[in-house]
Amino acid sequence: MIKSKKDLYAGLMFIVIGGFFALWALNYPMGTAVRMGPAYFPSILGWLTAGLGVIIMVRGFTMPDVDPNPTQWKPMLWIHGSAVLFGLLVDPLKIGFVGAVVASVIACAYGGYEFKWKEAIISAAVLTVVCWGAFVYGLGLPFRLFPGS
Amino acid sequence: MKKTILGFTAALALLATSFAFAQATGKPADFVDPGLFKNLILGFSVALSWTNLWYCFIGCFLGTLIGVLPGIGPVATIAMLLPITFNLPPIPALIMLAGIYYGASYGGSTTAILVNLPGESSSVVTCIDGYKMGQQGRAGPALAIAALGSFFAGTVGTILIALFGPPLAELAFEFGAAEYFSMMVLGLVAAVVLASGSLIKAIAMILVGLLLGLVGTDVNSGIARYSFGISELSDGIGFVSVAMGMFGFAEIVGNLEAKEADRTGATISEVKSLMPTAEDIKMSIGPIIRGTAIGTIFGILPGSHTVIAAFSSYTLEKKLAKDPSRFGKGAIEGVAGPESANNAAAQTCFIPLLTLGIPTGAVMALMVGAMTIQGIAPGPQVMTQKPDLFWGMIASMWIGNGMLVLLNLPLISIWVMFLKIPYRILFPGICLFCSIGAYSLNNSAMEVYLAATFGVFGYFASKWGCEPAPLLLGFVLGPLMEENLRRAMLISRGDPSVFFTRPISCGMLIVAGALLIMIISPQIKKKRDEVLIEGDGL
């Protein structure tokens, strides 16, 4: 029945994104063709995207294709999680630059293969010094280094 | 071969039309502007100042450094290093960015020759014969020829920008909103036609990019669209976050998944002597000149065509060779031609950006973003309003290309050292640089969260066969397209036929339509797939 999971999922993705933008545009004034409101262009684009999504999805039932590689949740979640962690620690939690760098490097390394604590801690230490030198000292980015400092 | 002929014809047509436009608008098409030398002198006086030379050097150095690291293409490299330039004045910032771009492209070919791993897709072709040469103990000559070929191509590209920039910009001044809108449509269509992968998915990705580009405060009404009450979003989504997410984070996860980027098992060819033999040089001159010609044409055409340029050049050299069986076994022509083509294309793709303000690929889209951050709207007015910036950048392109030759050959042992670092040690650092870079955009964690979101999105999108590059292109063009559509419709009092009654606009839409029909027709589609699959399989 389903011939191409890639096309099916991609089609669904475009339908959701396009449909969302088009429907959400209802919150904004449409305007006229002469004086286009903020909703005019996004509505056109949104429906076009959703329409293409339908075509791509239909293709998923007709044109055979290989299955996508299985999703690797571990690297996917840890890598992106490490970025979010960095943001959280620096901004709302105010842990400071050093703590955020160390935590996010170790979290990121954990998402890879062949994780070794020793390696991760050494590279976290090296990266802290390098990033402090390059970004805080060199470029003068306004990071606080430690909590409260 | 067919592709090459197609390219030549297209470029000729492009030149003929620009000539015709110049005639039609009553302006003489003086391609060799008498003020050219004055302009070039102005450019060199800007680029040769110590500060700018220094930033050009830093850019080339950092670009190569990151470019030789596995699994990081030029887009991710530029996105990662972009925040460094924010605090600089516009001229050094752009000079440095151009340096980063060349360095990143060059770093890709170094890894291709030494470890058979293309740092970016356009170096795929270099791997074939470059790596074989390395295994035969001739890595040095391969690197030297690649550098010299790239330098020659870069020189020609720079001269072409200086020659064709002013008349093209002159032409762009005649454009109204309708022409700009149609030109963007044509640019976007042309960019997907030659891209690899599914055409319909690429178009859908462009549309998503256009939509994402519209997030933020609407200039006409002041309404914050799709911001969901998040104050950071009312300024729009930062393009650096999009680029870092889709080309940085998502690619790292993809690399970890494939485990290909780990080169601990790969043997690194030793670099003994850099000097190519007289025979090598003699054999490379032809391929370098032909490669430059091919690359120049593909660079001007919309779309990131460095891959196709390199691939066409390789095919051409193989066809022209007396003994084609040498190819794939370490033929120096197979390095000289594609490397020159690749670099020529990387150079000439600045022409549409600097003269018309239209980015032709993901890297140029990043340059638009960088210029916008510096308060410069890319387009024909840059040349007239900021001649020092325009000509300084062009002069520094040439200096940057020369610097790469001087920098890379002696520093090759340093790059080899970086190549030996295993990927599992590298990627947390790359990730961290992306996080810090995203954060430093506005000193807000929001950009980091956005980058992570786009990373997840990009990971799944490419898993399902949707390439990220068209999205970035659409993202940059979104607001511009809306603005020009609005203006054109306002002037025409809501009559959409304005796009077809104005001859230049109509012509561009017809070409865009013809390209789409061409690509959908089964015969050409088959040919395109063959070429692209052959290119992928190399």
Side-chain angles (χ1 to χ4, degrees), chain A residues 7 9 21 28 33-34 36-38 41-42 49 59 69-70 72 76 79-80 83 88 90-91 108 113 119 143, chain B residues 201 207 218 221 225-226 249 257 262 424 427 431 439 445 448-449 452 455-456 459 463-464 482 486 489-490:
Chain A
D7 283 353
Y9 295 150
F21 271 93
Y28 310 123
V34 184
M36 291 182 189
F41 198 45
T49 312
R59 267 192 353 172
N69 300 326
Q72 303 279 328
M76 213 277 291
I79 303 281
H80 294 108
L88 280 176
V90 167
D91 221 14
C108 192
Y113 44 97
E119 261 180 22
F143 281 110
Chain B
K201 284 180 188 166
L207 290 173
D218 169 39
S221 61
R225 286 185 285 187
Y226 306 102
F249 293 134
E257 192 174 311
D262 205 328
R424 66 168 197 280
F427 79 85
C431 244
Y439 181 88
V448 189
Y449 306 149
V456 175
Y459 172 73
K463 196 172 261 310
W464 300 331
E482 184 183 36
R486 274 178 167 166
M489 294 296 270
L490 187 66

Side-chain angles (χ1 to χ4, degrees), chain B residues 148-447:
Chain B
L148 294 173
S150 299
F151 178 64
F152 175 78
T155 309
V156 172
T158 308
I159 294 171
L160 284 177
I161 298 178
L163 280 178
F164 288 103
L168 265 176
E170 197 89 333
L171 165 70
F173 273 122
E174 310 289 329
F175 282 11
E179 280 80 13
Y180 263 105
F181 182 81
S182 305
M183 185 166 69
M184 282 183 254
V185 173
L186 173 60
L188 287 173
V189 167
V192 294
V193 162
L194 285 173
S196 62
S198 155
L199 179 72
I200 186 167
K201 284 180 188 166
I203 296 176
M205 284 300 263
I206 284 187
L207 290 173
V208 173
L210 290 170
L211 278 169
L212 291 170
L214 298 178
V215 171
T217 306
D218 169 39
V219 265
N220 287 26
S221 61
I223 291 177
R225 286 185 285 187
Y226 306 102
S227 66
F228 314 110
I230 300 167
S231 64
E232 281 93 344
L233 277 184
S234 59
D235 293 335
I237 299 172
F239 76 99
V240 177
S241 312
V242 179
M244 271 182 189
M246 301 193 76
F247 290 87
F249 293 134
E251 263 184 44
I252 291 172
V253 181
N255 287 334
L256 287 174
E257 192 174 311
K259 291 195 181 169
E260 265 169 12
D262 205 328
R263 55 187 64 193
T264 36
T267 43
I268 300 175
S269 307
E270 248 182 277
V271 185
K272 287 170 196 151
S273 153
L274 284 171
M275 271 310 283
T277 60
E279 176 80 351
D280 286 339
I281 294 176
K282 210 181 118 203
M283 283 168 92
S284 304
I285 291 176
I288 287 176
I289 294 172
R290 285 188 291 269
T292 304
I294 292 172
T296 307
I297 291 156
F298 277 110
I300 302 172
L301 297 178
S304 306
H305 298 155
T306 45
V307 189
I308 292 173
F311 179 71
S312 314
S313 161
Y314 189 81
T315 325
L316 179 69
E317 292 313 322
K318 205 172 165 181
K319 286 243 164 75
L320 289 177
K322 283 191 199 111
D323 178 14
S325 67
R326 281 176 46 253
F327 279 77
K329 292 176 191 151
I332 196 153
E333 300 99 301
V335 176
E339 276 300 303
S340 314
N342 177 358
N343 206 51
Q347 192 81 46
T348 48
C349 63
F350 274 98
I351 293 180
L353 176 76
L354 289 174
T355 55
L356 309 174
I358 297 292
T360 53
V363 173
M364 290 302 114
L366 276 177
M367 294 302 274
V368 171
M371 287 173 100
T372 319
I373 287 176
Q374 294 287 350
I376 305 159
Q381 71 286 350
V382 174
M383 199 181 300
T384 45
Q385 286 169 8
K386 295 190 167 61
D388 50 339
L389 181 122
F390 182 85
W391 294 102
M393 209 172 143
I394 286 176
S396 79
M397 286 174 177
W398 186 75
I399 295 170
N401 274 297
M403 227 175 237
L404 278 176
V405 178
L406 296 177
L407 179 78
N408 280 312
L409 297 179
L411 289 183
I412 196 78
S413 52
I414 296 183
W415 309 140
V416 172
M417 213 174 71
F418 272 92
L419 281 173
K420 286 181 179 155
I421 306 174
Y423 193 64
R424 66 168 197 280
I425 310 255
L426 273 179
F427 79 85
I430 301 166
C431 244
L432 179 69
F433 285 156
C434 287
S435 300
I436 296 178
Y439 181 88
S440 65
L441 287 175
N442 287 327
N443 286 319
S444 103
M446 196 55 195
E447 298 288 342

Side-chain angles (χ1 to χ4, degrees), chain A residues 2-6 9 64-70, chain B residues 463-464:
Chain A
I2 297 168
K3 294 243 175 80
S4 162
K5 281 187 185 153
K6 281 186 185 176
Y9 295 150
D65 194 2
V66 286
D67 277 359
N69 300 326
Chain B
K463 196 172 261 310
W464 300 331

Side-chain angles (χ1 to χ4, degrees), chain B residues 176-178 180-181 184 479-489 499:
Chain B
Y180 263 105
F181 182 81
M184 282 183 254
L480 270 177
M481 253 184 126
E482 184 183 36
E483 196 191 317
N484 282 296
L485 176 68
R486 274 178 167 166
R487 229 186 281 156
M489 294 296 270
F499 296 107

